Amino acid sequence: MSSSTTQSLIESAIAQLEKLPPQQQQQVLDYIEFLAQKYIEPQPPQPRIPGLHRGKVWMSEDFNDPIPSDYWSDTKSR
């Protein structure tokens, strides 16, 4: 669609919108916002940046140690 056609379409829509009472103008705006959300183009995911949050996370020294077998059988402590 050419720029002049788009501009003409916008001007025509505004002229029609101005003729409507405020409640219907709000409904038109709501519908425009709905369409804008419905047809939004998904953005490609941003690549991860290694080391971006370095030093922000703490893990205990025993994080990778095996879980003791009594953990699974001792239901009283949980």
Side-chain angles (χ1 to χ4, degrees):
M1 192 179 295
S2 72
S3 176
S4 62
T5 304
T6 302
Q7 188 63 30
S8 175
L9 183 61
I10 292 170
E11 290 170 359
S12 177
I14 291 172
Q16 292 297 318
L17 185 62
E18 289 173 339
K19 295 177 186 178
L20 295 173
Q23 185 176 1
Q24 280 74 31
Q25 289 177 357
Q26 183 62 51
Q27 288 177 347
V28 171
L29 179 59
D30 292 344
Y31 186 64
I32 290 170
E33 291 171 350
F34 164 75
L35 290 176
Q37 289 298 316
K38 182 176 180 180
Y39 294 107
I40 193 167
E41 301 236 352
Q43 299 294 320
Q46 298 295 319
R48 293 183 180 196
I49 302 171
L52 182 65
H53 299 291
R54 188 175 308 252
K56 305 277 183 183
V57 176
W58 174 85
M59 289 174 32
S60 67
E61 295 295 324
D62 65 350
F63 179 79
N64 285 326
D65 290 354
I67 297 174
S69 59
D70 63 338
Y71 173 83
W72 303 110
S73 60
D74 184 19
T75 57
K76 295 177 196 170
S77 64
R78 287 189 270 153

